[in-house]
Amino acid sequence: MVIHIDRAFFFDTVREALFKGTLSTQQVEGMTAILDFWEARMPDADPRWLAYILATAFHETAYTMQPVRETLATTDARAVEILENAFASGKLSWVKTPYWRPDEDGKSWLGRGLVQLTHKRNYEAMSSLTGIDLVADPDRAMEMGPAVSILVEGMVMGSFSNHKLADHLNETSDDWVNARRIVNGTDRAEKLAGYGKSFLAAIRRAPPPTRWARLKAWLGRVIARLSA
């Protein structure tokens, strides 16, 4: 079943359920970019996948729905400084190799995007999957288009771990908690499950256009051609 999302209902619902009654222009733009990509590439896929993709972006971007750097720093240099300080003080005990340190070409492979893409090997893998050369310019992961592609295609294909969306949300499984393993183990898994279910409640089919709406759309296309 192809899903065309009722955008008005979607934004009204998430505004109250997840954004404390207020949506910024940037939050709307970010969610719109994800919805547009979904409807263009995989409109007949499981809507729970879309809901969990949105939940992941919601969490990983600190609710901004905009591509961000790890630590939310505005520059690579500041992000590296914050990460170095945290590493030196023992706050990143799970990190064996400081992946954020600039390499011989001066490039840092710190987290970027709508889902935090880290380590050069992951930039390489996502370059192959998306067709976007993130190795030549890792900052492209901070652009909305590439960031959406990385987020969606990476979660669908299981590029971030050995888990993909279809492993946990399928015809026989409705495992919102373990879906977190697609990106980051079980970190905040219960919270992400709740976010996903809230987004799912906002996803519904758009009502079919009325005769008047179809006529307006046709007139708009005619006027656009005449004005060209």
Side-chain angles (χ1 to χ4, degrees), residues 4 46 49 84 92 117 119 133 170 178 189 223:
H4 297 288
D46 192 325
W49 295 7
E84 285 289 357
L92 302 176
L117 187 66
H119 296 281
D133 194 347
N170 54 54
N178 279 303
I223 293 171

Side-chain angles (χ1 to χ4, degrees), residues 70 111 116 130 163 213:
E70 192 171 2
Q116 295 298 288
T130 64
H163 296 256

Side-chain angles (χ1 to χ4, degrees), residues 56-162:
T56 298
F58 180 73
H59 174 73
E60 297 288 341
T61 68
Y63 323 129
T64 66
M65 307 308 288
Q66 290 287 311
V68 296
R69 285 180 183 82
E70 192 171 2
T71 76
L72 304 181
T74 56
T75 66
D76 285 358
R78 178 56 181 153
V80 168
E81 180 183 6
I82 293 170
L83 289 165
E84 285 289 357
N85 290 339
F87 185 66
S89 62
K91 294 178 181 178
L92 302 176
S93 58
W94 61 90
V95 175
K96 296 180 180 179
T97 302
Y99 54 85
W100 55 82
R101 290 176 180 170
D103 63 14
E104 62 276 9
D105 297 319
K107 295 175 183 176
S108 173
W109 307 103
L110 53 79
R112 298 179 179 87
L114 293 167
V115 60
Q116 295 298 288
L117 187 66
T118 58
H119 296 281
K120 185 176 181 179
R121 65 179 179 274
N122 292 323
Y123 280 81
E124 291 171 340
M126 293 310 300
S127 293
S128 298
L129 181 62
T130 64
I132 301 165
D133 194 347
L134 301 163
V135 177
D137 185 2
D139 272 336
R140 290 214 60 196
M142 291 291 291
E143 299 173 14
M144 183 61 76
V148 172
S149 183
I150 292 165
L151 170 72
V152 178
E153 297 186 56
M155 292 184 71
V156 170
M157 299 302 294
S159 302
F160 307 125
S161 70
N162 293 323

Side-chain angles (χ1 to χ4, degrees), residues 5-17:
I5 298 162
D6 184 336
R7 301 292 178 97
F9 177 80
F10 175 85
F11 287 113
D12 285 345
T13 302
V14 299
R15 180 185 295 110
E16 299 304 321

